[in-house]
Amino acid sequence: NVIGIIIVDIDGNILHSTLPNEEITSKYAGQIPSLASMARSAVRELDNENDLRMLRIRSQVSEIIVLAETKFTLIVIQSIALSIESKDNENGAFENSEATK
């Protein structure tokens, strides 16, 4: 359920995007790399021999997966609405089968 992929260089320039809306692309490209940078700093502060490799952000409707490399940041945005419905159906089926035992 991938909505789009964005690649941003170290200077914040958008190198590639599959999102159809330039405004949304700019919002993600402007916010997510700085969040990844803060997360990288936190990881290094906790253990200076460690480094951030991936950051996963999940909201009620989407999930953002960030691969923070030294020369670029890869941002993958995916919808989770269908997977939540599937989980609900699976849980309901499980609960119903448990009730019949």
Side-chain angles (χ1 to χ4, degrees):
N1 301 350
V2 174
I3 296 170
I5 297 170
I6 305 168
I7 301 173
V8 181
D9 70 10
I10 195 165
D11 297 321
N13 300 313
I14 301 166
L15 302 177
H16 181 73
S17 175
T18 62
L19 289 172
N21 186 318
E22 193 173 316
E23 183 180 348
I24 293 173
T25 299
S26 294
K27 283 183 181 181
Y28 278 99
Q31 296 293 319
I32 299 301
S34 60
L35 181 61
S37 178
M38 287 189 295
R40 171 176 270 140
S41 294
V43 167
R44 286 182 179 167
E45 193 170 310
L46 293 170
D47 179 0
N48 63 0
E49 294 181 15
N50 205 351
D51 196 10
L52 178 73
R53 301 298 297 160
M54 185 178 82
L55 178 64
R56 190 172 173 182
I57 306 159
R58 189 171 181 140
S59 70
Q60 292 178 334
V61 294
S62 65
E63 182 174 56
I64 304 166
I65 300 166
V66 183
L67 296 169
E69 297 293 330
T70 54
K71 296 184 179 183
F72 66 91
T73 302
L74 173 68
I75 305 165
V76 179
I77 304 133
Q78 61 184 13
S79 172
I80 59 171
L82 292 176
S83 60
I84 289 174
E85 288 173 8
S86 297
K87 294 274 186 204
D88 288 344
N89 288 340
E90 288 173 11
N91 291 339
F94 177 75
E95 289 169 4
N96 289 338
S97 65
E98 287 294 309
T100 57
K101 288 185 178 180

